[in-house]
Amino acid sequence: MATNVALPARWRGILDHPRGLYLLAATELWERISYHGMQALLVLYMVEQLLLPGHIERIAGFDRYRAIVEAITGPLSTQALAAQTFGLYTGLIYFTPVIGGAIGDRITGRRGAVAAGALLMTAGHFSLAFDRSFLLALLLLILGAGLLRGNLSAQIKALYADGDRREADAFQIYYVGINLGAFIAPILTGALAATYGWHTGFAFAGFGMLVGLAVYLAGARYLPRDPDRRVRARREALTADERLRIRWLVALLPFCVGFWIAQSQVWNVYNLWVRDHVALRVGGFMVPVPWLQALDGLAPIIVMPAFLALWRWQAARGREPDDIAKMAIGCLVFAGGAAWLALAPLVSGADGRAPLVWAVAFHLLSNIGWLYFTPIALALYATRSPSGLRGAMIGVNTLATFAGSVISGRLGGLYEVLSPAHFWLLHAAIVGAAGAGLLIIARAARKGLAERAGPGTVGAWDASLPEEGNRSTGGSFSK
């Protein structure tokens, strides 16, 4: 094992973080511009063009795909089929990082996996330019995301020594890249799609992914080196403490699924709800539906400084909630956001449309919940996983998003059966129950996830830092 030594000045980075963190965040920014740009258009594109007569017949293999899906779900309308397809696609985007992370851990190394994933995703975006290659495009995007996402965020922990308090803020900074991408992409792709057509919006997403790959390769010198193949193949046996932590990380998955069922619906049926139940005209301008997705990316950046300051204020007084408590709070706040959507009829006009500010308020409220849950969950899986399994365990974290997205796609079919109020109350109940469950198990989970290893040591991936190691500022991520 490598031991902690002082980090050379050239690695201290901006704002006392390694430069590699900002490189990873910039790469993630462009990946998210690519991904969210396409995601903001996908359901509307399927409902309003691709799955209509004159287009659906051109999609290679679609008859067989539809037969397989409807053998499980029963006959689906165009809207329900679009929701289910979106749910399957998004779910698999978050499933394949389990495999991609394992590939990076044991075979290719992180850098090679990230580069291959970016190229596959680029090919997928450009394949969306043609009706015929629609299913192939989704497959390429799913495979590429598995390699890229399973290995990009996994490199963050290797920039910090065990016990470094900066880890907590590092994952928040990383998520700024995610949310900036999620903010920028729907505005640009929504405007391009409205002006020049759907395929132009998808092409922009492809170019965004190429930029992300270029950024990553240009700054590779700031990242931890991949161990050679012999190191990757040789893994020490897990300790009893590590096995216990893995069991607890797996045990948390059902609660994480509850959160992602509700969150995934914001990417899916929510777009249709906005289209049909929100007053989008401001003066003489009609706000494009994807712009609300952009707001969903901007909202965490708006609320993040206040809550980072709150957590530091609480920490100074010994009252900061620990990771499990924060995740529970996030679920409960998000449940309040879903209930807020259910209450929209109370403020709707004679046309059945709620004011635009109602949707804006939803994004601010729900993203407070997101801030308490999503970066904390990622950090928990990254910092509590054994170093040699970190990519795979971060992939396990994405299994929750996979399951939540698939389930939300199935629940999306209920939007044609239930009233909008009952539809959103159902999702509020699901994510609220997840939050309550986390509070119930919090004490046992806190004990099971506590690190009992000796201080001042780092694992195989942490030892791969140039000049060996990083400096610790003391403290612990889990309070």
Side-chain angles (χ1 to χ4, degrees):
M1 292 288 188
T3 57
N4 245 7
V5 295
L7 183 68
R10 68 178 182 274
W11 277 87
R12 289 175 187 166
I14 305 169
L15 300 178
D16 201 32
H17 282 275
R19 292 183 178 89
L21 172 65
Y22 295 95
L23 171 67
L24 293 173
T27 305
E28 186 65 70
L29 163 68
W30 281 102
E31 190 272 333
R32 293 296 171 146
I33 287 175
S34 159
Y35 172 71
H36 285 284
M38 177 266 198
Q39 179 181 262
L41 303 178
L42 189 56
V43 170
L44 295 171
Y45 169 59
M46 287 190 285
V47 169
E48 296 180 6
Q49 178 174 308
L50 184 68
L51 300 187
L52 299 180
H55 292 275
I56 192 171
E57 302 88 353
R58 303 175 188 169
I59 306 173
F62 196 81
D63 287 342
R64 177 170 294 184
Y65 162 77
R66 184 170 193 168
I68 292 171
V69 172
E70 292 186 339
I72 300 170
T73 65
L76 296 174
S77 67
T78 296
Q79 185 168 294
L81 180 60
Q84 185 66 78
T85 299
F86 183 92
L88 288 170
Y89 160 71
T90 305
L92 289 170
I93 282 280
Y94 287 94
F95 173 79
T96 51
V98 179
I99 302 170
I103 290 172
D105 280 338
R106 298 183 178 274
I107 302 174
T108 64
R110 305 242 189 264
R111 295 187 185 189
V114 168
L119 290 173
L120 286 171
M121 292 184 72
T122 300
H125 285 302
F126 289 140
S127 295
L128 285 171
F130 310 97
D131 291 349
R132 183 168 184 79
S133 54
F134 175 73
L135 293 179
L136 173 63
L138 297 188
L139 177 62
L140 291 170
L141 288 166
I142 289 165
L143 295 176
L147 289 169
L148 189 147
R149 294 188 178 184
N151 292 282
L152 193 61
S153 61
Q155 296 176 72
I156 296 175
K157 178 63 180 79
L159 297 169
Y160 299 88
D162 290 343
D164 192 332
R165 176 59 180 83
R166 294 176 303 166
E167 283 179 352
D169 290 346
F171 284 92
Q172 299 288 354
I173 292 169
Y174 183 75
Y175 264 94
V176 170
I178 290 177
N179 287 293
L180 275 176
F183 166 63
I184 294 169
I187 293 176
L188 294 178
T189 58
L192 289 170
T195 306
Y196 301 106
W198 300 105
H199 298 309
T200 303
F202 293 136
F204 170 81
F207 284 112
M209 192 64 260
L210 280 178
V211 173
L213 176 59
V215 168
Y216 182 79
L217 295 177
R221 66 187 181 278
Y222 297 120
L223 297 176
R225 293 187 297 268
D226 285 337
D228 64 32
R229 292 179 183 273
R230 290 171 296 176
V231 173
R232 290 197 297 269
R234 186 175 66 252
R235 299 296 178 191
E236 296 180 4
L238 297 177
T239 67
D241 175 48
E242 289 172 332
R243 290 195 296 272
L244 177 63
R245 296 206 309 268
I246 288 175
R247 286 196 293 270
W248 269 105
L249 290 173
V250 172
L252 290 175
L253 279 179
F255 305 99
C256 297
V257 170
F259 175 85
W260 284 108
I261 289 172
Q263 171 63 62
S264 297
Q265 214 60 268
V266 179
W267 306 330
N268 195 341
V269 168
Y270 175 76
N271 279 337
L272 302 176
W273 180 83
V274 168
R275 183 193 66 182
D276 298 335
H277 295 284
V278 175
L280 294 172
R281 186 169 296 280
V282 178
F285 178 70
M286 180 65 72
V287 177
V289 173
W291 284 18
L292 272 296
Q293 294 289 320
L295 179 59
D296 203 60
L298 179 63
I301 300 172
I302 294 174
V303 301
M304 183 181 295
F307 283 92
L308 287 179
L310 172 64
W311 294 341
R312 288 189 177 278
W313 182 86
Q314 291 174 325
R317 289 157 179 78
R319 295 188 300 197
E320 182 182 5
D322 70 1
D323 303 342
I324 304 299
K326 284 181 180 177
M327 291 167 64
I329 292 169
C331 288
L332 296 174
V333 172
F334 203 101
W340 180 264
L341 294 180
L343 295 175
L346 298 179
V347 296
S348 297
D351 58 358
R353 293 182 176 271
L356 183 60
V357 69
W358 197 264
V360 172
F362 161 74
H363 286 289
L364 292 173
L365 177 60
S366 66
N367 276 287
I368 294 172
W370 182 95
L371 183 68
Y372 267 88
F373 186 90
T374 307
I376 303 302
L378 175 60
L380 190 68
Y381 278 82
T383 60
R384 292 295 174 263
S385 300
S387 60
L389 294 175
R390 188 166 296 130
M393 290 306 296
I394 287 177
V396 168
N397 177 45
T398 67
L399 283 178
T401 314
F402 158 70
S405 297
V406 172
I407 295 169
S408 74
R410 187 71 185 104
L411 293 177
L414 297 177
Y415 186 66
E416 297 178 312
V417 178
L418 301 176
S419 68
H422 286 102
F423 181 82
W424 294 118
L425 283 175
L426 170 64
H427 288 78
I430 291 171
V431 68
L438 284 170
L439 289 176
I440 291 170
I441 70 164
R443 185 172 183 177
R446 189 178 302 124
K447 182 178 179 181
L449 290 167
E451 291 192 88
R452 299 171 182 82
T457 61
V458 290
W461 281 106
D462 304 313
S464 65
L465 271 170
E467 305 294 337
E468 296 295 327
N470 200 336
R471 61 192 175 105
S472 174
T473 58
S476 170
F477 182 64
S478 285
K479 307 296 183 298

